[in-house]
Amino acid sequence: MGRKVLMALVGIIFLFVLAGCGSKSQEEVLKALNEKMDELTGYQAEAKMTFRTGAEPQVYHVEVWHKQPSYYRVSLKNADKGQSQMILRNDEGVFVFTPALNKSFKFVSDWPKNSSQAYLYESLVKDILSDPKAKFKATKNHYVFETKTNYPNSEVVPTQEITLRKKDLAPVSVKVMDTDRKALLTVEFSNVEFNKKFDDDAFDTSKNMTGARLEVPTMAEGKEQVMEVMYPDLSRLPEGVKMLEEKEVKSESGKRVIMTFGGKKSFTLVQEKAEVLPATSMPVLVNGDPVDLGFTVGALTDRTLTWSYNGVEFTLASDDLTPQEMIMVASTVQEKAAK
């Protein structure tokens, strides 16, 4: 009997040891992430990205190519809206290209180093490693971290939940949450290939812009398109700010709608039908940063934020709003709404 009891105890201890081998401590996972980043030469990833900042969720397919140290190619496509954009970083600079309009911006920017990027693996790892108060838990197959964000509007979305796969520390999902812990942005990774080998011209500017044009048809110049006027979510305007005036003027593209807002702070929102540029157009140089508004990528400077969405060109201009406030206002201008 004693021998049987002893064997049973040994078996139980062995099972505990095996269970312990499946999970690492937070410190061990952080060390493993550091080591993985040191060894990483690049990766290719695909994901579904869902934004819930408007009346209806906006769903995008995202494809990321990254080659160390600083080459990036990020393709963002929304099939429902026909919205497609590409962010490209190479030795020439940072570019944002909208193929349906033959429109491109070239930025003097440190993107993506200047803020969190929920679809970039190394950005997620950086957020995990740089937050000394990050929360951690291990499940059967995953490690889950809750960290602070580093977005320009981080006061609106201060927290993110990052889930990594145990066996290779690959990203599984990201939830970026508001102050009520509601997920305004969700990224679900479907495929990640570490240390991917890319062709020598994989990040070439001309090749990628030409490829994007072939993949996404240019908007027809002569096609009649009714421009639905969009409004920001008034409940998310800076405190003490309200709409003062809306007027419509004629423009070369048909009409231009100008909205002015005032109170404690003031700004102007202009929208008109987007112009399709010649395929040979040169990129517009911007001394600013590309910013992700949820439904599109915009161009942010000290005083203006411009973006295209669903065939309409928007410009938000202000001497009063901070860059964070401009992003917050612009991120809600995506639905037709009552004034």
Side-chain angles (χ1 to χ4, degrees), residues 101-122:
L101 302 174
N102 284 327
K103 192 167 190 177
S104 59
F105 292 99
K106 181 179 180 180
F107 292 86
V108 180
S109 171
D110 286 333
W111 183 93
K113 296 180 180 179
N114 46 10
S115 68
S116 299
Q117 307 292 335
Y119 45 76
L120 297 183
Y121 178 65
E122 67 284 5

Side-chain angles (χ1 to χ4, degrees), residues 11 23 115-117 123 128 133 157 159 174 209 227 241 246 301 320:
S23 294
S115 68
S116 299
Q117 307 292 335
S123 177
I128 291 171
K133 297 182 180 179
V157 282
T159 309
V174 183
M209 289 186 175
M227 187 184 83
V241 176
E246 177 186 340
T301 68
D320 299 334

Side-chain angles (χ1 to χ4, degrees), residues 139 142-145 161-165 170-174 189:
T139 65
H142 302 127
Y143 296 120
V144 183
F145 286 89
E161 181 185 274
I162 303 167
T163 301
L164 306 176
R165 195 163 55 199
V172 174
S173 66
V174 183
F189 290 88

Side-chain angles (χ1 to χ4, degrees), residues 84-86 97-103 209 212-219 276:
S84 176
Q85 287 181 297
M86 179 183 291
F97 183 50
T98 306
L101 302 174
N102 284 327
K103 192 167 190 177
M209 289 186 175
R213 288 191 188 100
L214 293 174
E215 196 171 312
V216 178
T218 303
M219 289 176 57
V276 179

